[in-house]
Amino acid sequence: DQEGKLNKIQLNYATPELHVSVNELTTLEQHEYVVIDEQKFQLNWTPLKKDTGMAIIKLSPYEAPKEGSRWR
């Protein structure tokens, strides 16, 4: 719910997650980001794959690449 509870259990939203189908993982790349509620989040690789056919990708606040830090 909006207060971070499931029934009466307090949930920890300290590390947001993106849950995707394992089949969709091939369309995502490590350097990409997602926008949720107008906020950018980086995809922290490597995804945790579950037996259900889903994968969990941990998210962190987006940081733009610094000039000169890219390999060519």
Side-chain angles (χ1 to χ4, degrees):
D1 66 13
Q2 293 291 338
E3 296 176 5
K5 293 180 182 176
L6 176 63
N7 204 350
K8 294 184 180 183
I9 302 169
Q10 184 68 35
L11 300 177
N12 180 1
Y13 289 113
T15 306
E17 300 174 339
L18 179 65
H19 295 238
V20 298
S21 165
V22 171
N23 295 335
E24 292 173 347
L25 285 178
T26 58
T27 64
L28 298 174
E29 295 186 28
Q30 184 173 1
H31 64 275
E32 291 184 314
Y33 64 89
V34 294
V35 178
I36 301 171
D37 289 336
E38 299 180 23
Q39 278 189 294
K40 291 181 182 179
F41 292 93
Q42 273 177 217
L43 305 176
N44 295 331
W45 234 240
T46 308
L48 172 63
K49 296 179 184 175
K50 306 201 85 174
D51 293 337
T52 60
M54 297 297 289
I56 299 172
I57 302 172
K58 299 288 185 181
L59 302 175
S60 62
Y62 177 75
E63 293 181 24
K66 294 182 177 112
E67 200 59 37
S69 65
R70 296 183 136 203
W71 290 88
R72 291 181 187 229

